[in-house]
Amino acid sequence: MSSHPILRASFAALAAALAGCAPFNYSAPDSPRALTAVAPIEPSPRIALVLSSGGPRGYAHIGVMRVLEEVGVEVDLVVGTSVGSLLGAFWADGRSAAEIDALSETGGPLTLFDLSPFADRGWIHGQRLQDYVNAGLGNKSIEHLQRRLVVGATRRSDKVPVFFTSGNAGVAVRASSAVPGVLSPVGIDGIEYEDGDESLPLAVRAARQAGARFVIAVDVTPRPETTPVDASTAQRERVARRRARIAPESENADFVIHAALRFGASPLPSYFRYARVTGEQSARQQLPQLLAGLQRAGLTDERPVP
């Protein structure tokens, strides 16, 4: 290599630029610590709400939250995967469903895209998502939110589901949302994580491990009967994989709300509104059965259904 000062400076600048584009790895005192099982929470949670992954379909969760708020169901543990972790983090911090709905109009996924220099690892970098979550939560860590929160993700090396219960909330949500080929995987202390949908789209087991007495699960995966005749083989296989992962988790919940969404989804604000309304309608239809289950468990008084 030449010792010419200009060339040395040029190589130094190139090295710095490449270093700045290195795959993301978060290493700090508040690094989220990945657990393969959630430790029991004291005091034990009474009611847990488990929110599934599902991309834009997950905005149905907002409608479910709205109904639970209206009837006074006091959730003290939120478990979220992918989009469920994003919306669940804001709800765990005390935002109302109406406030989260307003945020979705101004801060939805289309506003959080930042292009990654590593196209083979995902075309969205994810820093903007991380910063958005941390700013929205006032930089509070997971364990300091008003409600207890568990964020589900996948360890990239072996596809094992992991859970974050403490540490930097934005980093945890970013890891939980790192869809392979779309959003770059997230390194935390040298270990890479990706979308929780890849291992456990609906993490009922985390709520059970935490000690929740009653688990309400919200599933936004398409039902087989909604599959259009022109759906591709890849689409059918992806839905089948998700259903296979979700089925044993659903069976372990006390109550499952399945949002009656159509098969196709879209990242446009109009779809977010449709998903939210559909989630609300689905929750209202199943509300009498939910309240009856809570009453049998001794967790709510008998009350009229709105």
Side-chain angles (χ1 to χ4, degrees), residues 17-141:
L18 290 175
C21 291
F24 176 77
N25 181 69
Y26 188 85
S27 184
D30 69 342
S31 291
R33 178 166 162 258
L35 307 170
T36 54
V38 176
I41 293 175
E42 295 294 340
S44 298
R46 298 172 72 253
I47 302 174
L49 180 67
V50 181
L51 305 175
S52 76
S53 57
R57 305 177 67 86
Y59 280 76
H61 295 321
I62 300 174
V64 175
M65 294 172 186
R66 183 188 296 268
V67 173
L68 295 179
E69 289 174 358
E70 287 181 1
V71 298
V73 173
E74 295 291 340
V75 171
D76 49 6
L77 171 64
V78 181
V79 179
T81 301
S82 198
V83 66
S85 74
L86 170 62
L87 300 173
F90 283 101
W91 206 52
D93 192 43
R95 300 288 185 94
S96 69
E99 290 173 318
I100 297 171
D101 192 22
L103 282 175
S104 74
E105 295 284 344
T106 60
L110 291 179
T111 70
L112 303 178
F113 288 173
D114 47 1
L115 296 182
S116 169
F118 298 96
D120 60 325
R121 294 171 61 85
W123 56 276
I124 301 172
H125 188 251
Q127 184 68 49
R128 188 174 294 175
L129 172 61
Q130 175 183 322
D131 293 344
Y132 173 80
V133 171
N134 281 333
L137 300 179
N139 292 307
K140 290 191 286 291
S141 57

Side-chain angles (χ1 to χ4, degrees), residues 18 20 57 61 67 98 118 134 138 141 153 189 200 202 209 211 227 242 246 276 278 302 306:
L18 290 175
R57 305 177 67 86
H61 295 321
V67 173
F118 298 96
N134 281 333
S141 57
D189 293 334
L200 199 63
L202 186 72
Q209 291 165 354
T227 306
R242 292 189 81 248
I246 285 174
R276 191 265 298 162
T278 303
E302 188 173 359

Side-chain angles (χ1 to χ4, degrees), residues 194-211:
E194 62 188 12
D195 196 340
D197 183 75
E198 295 297 305
S199 60
L200 199 63
L202 186 72
V204 172
R205 72 181 67 174
R208 289 297 184 203
Q209 291 165 354

